[in-house]
Amino acid sequence: MMRKFKCADCGAEFEEPFGTGRPNCPKCGSENVYRIDEYAGMGKGMGRGMGRGMGRGLGRGRGMGRGRGRGWFDGE
């Protein structure tokens, strides 16, 4: 089975066997190549997030309290 790559500099497409490391473009020698086969991006890094989204922390609320503090009510 082969890995398919494309050079971002000259546009050449080429194949390399698995286990050979990150290749250089055989046409122009550039290191600026990326995977274009169907297995690209399916490695260890997929699906490991915590699902927090939009940077709102850990879901501990949004500060909707009344802000009255201690002793606002005579009965306390």
Side-chain angles (χ1 to χ4, degrees):
M1 189 148 191
M2 303 287 278
R3 301 177 298 165
K4 295 179 183 178
F5 292 91
K6 184 171 184 175
C7 178
D9 292 336
C10 71
E13 294 183 9
F14 59 97
E15 294 183 349
E16 291 283 327
F18 282 97
T20 58
R22 185 166 177 85
N24 293 343
C25 176
K27 186 176 178 184
C28 69
S30 173
E31 294 179 359
N32 194 12
V33 297
Y34 57 93
R35 295 274 297 270
I36 59 170
D37 59 7
E38 64 271 10
Y39 298 107
M42 297 296 287
K44 296 178 181 177
M46 296 294 288
R48 289 208 173 174
M50 296 297 287
R52 293 181 189 137
M54 298 303 290
R56 289 194 175 134
L58 299 172
R60 293 189 178 127
R62 296 188 185 178
M64 298 295 219
R66 294 189 177 117
R68 293 178 177 150
R70 287 184 73 172
W72 74 275
F73 177 66
D74 291 334
E76 284 187 33

